[in-house]
Amino acid sequence: MTVTLMWEARATEGRGEELLAWARRQELPLRPLRRETFRAPQDRVLVVTWWDASYDAQLPELPEPDGGLVARPVHRWRFESLGAD
């Protein structure tokens, strides 16, 4: 089974590039099958990782950034892949 973890954060105003750089620097203790980083308007950053694991497996995730870098708590979601259409 492939499990996908999504991590999304919104930077405090004017700190979007700093949040993006922070997210890219974060190392996970295990290597996912795939990892992609995205950005969106309003200084939002999204990191998606794919894992060969069961849905409820303990998997490493990016932490909450420190130092007032985010405008709100990080949002996290977990999905089970159903394959490509």
Side-chain angles (χ1 to χ4, degrees):
M1 167 186 297
T2 301
V3 175
T4 303
L5 302 183
M6 295 177 63
W7 177 101
E8 188 264 340
R10 183 173 179 186
T12 54
E13 190 169 336
R15 297 183 73 184
E17 289 300 319
E18 187 178 349
L19 177 61
L20 178 60
W22 178 91
R24 287 183 161 168
R25 284 193 311 269
Q26 300 309 299
E27 296 288 333
L28 297 171
L30 299 173
R31 186 178 182 104
L33 297 171
R34 180 175 167 190
R35 176 177 171 165
E36 284 192 54
T37 304
F38 304 84
R39 68 174 156 196
Q42 300 176 329
D43 291 329
R44 288 178 292 147
V45 174
L46 173 70
V47 178
V48 181
T49 56
W50 287 261
W51 303 87
D52 182 16
S54 64
Y55 186 81
D56 59 351
Q58 293 286 345
L59 297 169
E61 297 189 54
L62 271 65
E64 292 269 343
D66 293 330
L69 189 56
V70 292
R72 57 163 170 72
V74 169
H75 292 171
R76 300 170 194 273
W77 299 276
R78 182 177 288 226
F79 296 93
E80 173 187 348
S81 175
L82 301 177
D85 291 334

